[in-house]
Amino acid sequence: FWSYDAEEPSFRHRMLHVRDQLADRGWRCHVETLPKGRYLRRILDRRQQLKTADVVILHRIKLTPIEFLPLRSLCRYLAFDVDDAIYYRRPRQLGQAPDKSWFRQYKFARTCAISDLVMAGNHCLADRAARSAPWVEIVPTPVDLSAYEVLEVSRSPETLVWIGLPENLPYLELVRDTLSRLSRNHPAMTLRVVSAEFPDWPEVTIERTPWSATTEAADLATAGIGIMPLTDDEWTHGKCAFKLLQYMAAALPCVGSAVGANLEVVVEGQTGFLAADPAAWASGLGTLLADPARAATMGQAGRDRVRSHYDTRVVSSRAADLLEKLVAGPL
C-alpha cells in the first residue's frame, strides 16, 4: 500500500481495514509512505519490492509522466484507490469553481489507464475513472459501526452536530441563516461543531467540541441530528458522504445537501432528508426537531443501512475480494 500520508483519515478508513482483511487471509502486507517529489527516483528506489509484490495499491497518488512506464513495467498488478476529485484542485473559497488544471487531469487519467483496477469511492469518481481505466469498481468509504454506540439515555434531540476538518467549516455558512431562523422557534437548539476550529455565530448557540479519536463516536451519538451542507459543484460531487455515514452509524437522522454521494447514502424520508435549497433545509430540520420519535426511528433506519451497505467489515471484505480476483487473473 502506497500513500502520501498513512495517518490521514482517508487512508485509515479506506485502506487499513483492507490490509487487515488481506492479512487474515494469509497475505503479507506492507504500508509505505511515498515521498512527494523525487519523481522517478522514488519508483526506482523501490524496484526490488515492486518486483516481488503481487499487487501495488496507490492510494490517492497521481503518478507523473516519467513514472508511468517504469512503475507499470515493474508491477505485476497495479490498483488505484481514489475517494476525492483529485483530478481538480480544491476551490480556494466557498462557491468558487475548482481549478481544472489540464496537467492534474492528465495525471489522473493516465494513472487510471495503467492501473489494472480502480477502486472509486462513489459513482461520480467511478464515471470519471472509467474514461480511461480498464476496470473500475465502486468501493465506498466505510465506517466502523461497532465504534458508534447508540446512547439513547444521553441523546440530546435538539442538538445538531457537524463533524469535519477546519478547511470544510465554510460549508456551514450555507445553512447559517436557516439555523438562525430555526433557533427562534427552538430556543434550546444547539449546533455542536466537532473540529479543531469553530465558527463564531452570535445568532446560533455553538457548542465547541474539540475532535478526538477517543470521544468522536460519543460526541455524535449524544447529539440529535447530523448535518452535511455542501455547495453543488464538480469538487463536491467527488466527496464520499462520510459525515453522513458517521451520523447514521451513531443512529442519528441526518439532513444533507442534495449533492453527489449524499444522494446515494441518504434514503429520503427514511434515514434523513436531502436539501436542495434553504426551504428544504428548514423543512427537513424543522420536521426532525418537532418530532423526536420520528427522528429516532429514522436514526435507527440509518444505522441499519450502514450495517448492511457501509460497515467496515462489509466494504473491506469486498475490496479484499476484488484484489484477490485481480491477482488470480482471468479464469
Side-chain angles (χ1 to χ4, degrees):
F1 295 84
W2 279 359
S3 172
Y4 281 140
D5 183 2
E7 297 300 320
E8 69 167 345
S10 173
F11 188 85
R12 286 190 288 106
H13 291 299
R14 289 185 65 80
M15 293 288 97
L16 289 186
H17 295 289
V18 178
R19 177 202 62 184
D20 294 343
Q21 275 275 345
L22 292 173
D24 288 343
R25 301 181 187 193
W27 287 54
R28 287 177 295 166
C29 301
H30 176 66
V31 174
E32 183 171 0
T33 300
L34 200 67
K36 293 183 179 180
R38 300 185 69 244
Y39 303 122
L40 183 59
R41 175 51 56 188
R42 62 183 182 176
I43 304 297
L44 298 179
D45 286 347
R46 293 162 177 78
R47 54 184 174 271
Q48 191 55 43
Q49 63 176 256
L50 290 171
K51 290 178 180 178
T52 58
D54 289 296
V55 59
V56 174
I57 304 169
L58 302 174
H59 175 68
R60 294 171 56 98
I61 294 176
K62 303 183 301 295
L63 299 169
T64 59
I66 59 173
E67 295 176 315
F68 297 140
L69 183 58
L71 181 61
R72 183 65 271 185
S73 65
L74 290 167
C75 283
R76 181 183 177 198
Y77 291 107
L78 182 65
F80 182 30
D81 182 72
V82 58
D83 68 337
D84 239 335
I86 59 174
Y87 38 84
Y88 298 143
R89 188 183 298 278
R90 178 189 178 86
R92 296 182 183 276
Q93 295 181 350
L94 190 67
Q96 195 176 64
D99 176 8
K100 299 181 179 181
S101 157
W102 72 267
F103 190 52
R104 291 177 72 89
Q105 295 182 65
Y106 171 74
K107 289 191 295 180
F108 178 83
R110 287 298 299 152
T111 302
C112 289
I114 69 167
S115 297
D116 300 291
L117 166 66
V118 176
M119 296 187 292
N122 63 35
H123 282 88
C124 173
L125 300 174
D127 289 346
R128 183 63 178 240
R131 297 180 187 181
S132 50
W135 181 19
V136 181
E137 295 284 348
I138 296 175
V139 179
T141 301
V143 61
D144 185 359
L145 189 67
S146 67
Y148 293 82
E149 298 297 334
V150 182
L151 307 173
E152 294 291 351
V153 174
S154 56
R155 193 179 296 282
S156 177
E158 291 192 289
T159 296
L160 281 54
V161 65
W162 179 92
I163 187 170
L165 296 170
E167 64 195 40
N168 290 321
L169 279 171
Y171 290 120
L172 281 175
E173 291 289 340
L174 298 170
V175 294
R176 181 174 179 173
D177 288 344
T178 298
L179 298 186
S180 176
R181 289 193 295 272
L182 282 171
S183 65
R184 297 168 196 161
N185 296 325
H186 301 274
M189 191 191 81
T190 299
L191 173 61
R192 178 182 297 167
V193 176
V194 184
S195 188
E197 297 178 12
F198 310 96
D200 184 15
W201 297 352
E203 70 276 22
V204 177
T205 301
I206 303 291
E207 182 181 324
R208 295 165 174 79
T209 304
W211 179 86
S212 166
T214 58
T215 61
E216 173 185 57
D219 291 337
L220 298 184
T222 54
I225 304 166
I227 64 172
M228 186 178 177
L230 288 174
T231 52
D232 187 356
D233 55 53
E234 291 177 289
W235 174 259
T236 58
H237 291 178
K239 288 185 172 292
C240 291
F242 186 67
K243 286 181 181 59
L244 294 180
L245 293 176
Q246 288 182 288
Y247 304 147
M248 291 161 63
L252 298 185
C254 47
V255 183
S257 294
V259 172
N262 291 10
L263 299 168
E264 303 169 22
V265 168
V266 175
V267 180
E268 176 71 17
Q270 295 183 31
T271 67
F273 297 104
L274 292 162
D277 53 42
W281 272 99
S283 174
L285 290 173
T287 297
L288 296 172
L289 287 166
D291 192 345
R294 183 181 180 185
T297 298
M298 294 174 73
Q300 186 56 54
R303 185 171 167 86
D304 292 341
R305 180 163 169 76
V306 169
R307 179 180 291 108
S308 59
H309 293 87
Y310 298 102
D311 183 34
T312 291
R313 288 150 193 78
V314 173
V315 177
S316 61
S317 178
R318 168 168 158 70
D321 288 346
L322 289 171
L323 292 167
E324 290 197 321
K325 182 179 178 180
L326 171 64
V327 170
L331 297 177

